Amino acid sequence: LASFYDVNVDNIESVTADKEFSSMQTLPGPSGNDFTDFDKIKFTIKTKTGTEVSVQADRCGGTDSYAYVTDAEGNEIFRYYMPDEEDKAHVKELEAKYPTAMPYFFTQDPDYITVKERVAKHTVGGAPADGVATIGIAVDTLKVAEYLTPLLQE
């Protein structure tokens, strides 16, 4: 949201939660302490500059995910699936090689490699790590998350 839609706590005009889709659970963690978090969430943010972006996530819905973009009238103009067909073949190879690993590692494996390569090149040569969030973007993202959490828990 911060990288692609310029969402930050200073320019959020409104947040609308989809309470019918969203759900929170409280479960014990490894320490035995209870933790409360969303297992499903859907919300729309409107910024003061007029940008409107919606997020929908289901953390218990499997390892596949997708994103789509619509125009102002709601017509879909782009859709991206992960994993795509090439990634699915790679996932099968990794599942066979590492049968006890968590499945989400397999779908994210190519992205982890790309990020590590770009950050390593930056570390060695100093050139920007293209496509990798900066510390500033990371801080803005965490600020937005902290701002949204109490609003979406209401």
Side-chain angles (χ1 to χ4, degrees), residues 66-69 76-81:
Y66 69 92
Y68 65 93
V69 177
E76 185 176 311
I77 56 176
F78 175 78
R79 182 176 289 248
Y80 172 78
Y81 284 95

Side-chain angles (χ1 to χ4, degrees), residues 56-131:
Q56 177 177 323
D58 181 347
R59 295 173 65 185
C60 300
T63 58
D64 292 5
S65 62
Y66 69 92
Y68 65 93
V69 177
T70 61
D71 61 19
E73 289 78 42
N75 300 308
E76 185 176 311
I77 56 176
F78 175 78
R79 182 176 289 248
Y80 172 78
Y81 284 95
M82 184 187 94
D84 60 18
E85 292 306 314
E86 184 180 322
D87 290 339
K88 286 179 183 179
H90 184 64
V91 165
K92 286 185 186 235
E93 292 171 15
L94 291 173
E95 285 173 335
K97 190 173 180 179
Y98 306 105
T100 60
M102 296 299 292
Y104 61 86
F105 286 134
F106 304 139
T107 56
Q108 297 172 8
D109 180 67
D111 296 327
Y112 288 141
I113 291 169
T114 299
V115 168
K116 286 191 268 185
E117 287 175 348
R118 290 178 182 180
V119 170
K121 286 180 184 176
H122 166 73
T123 302
V124 171
D130 292 332

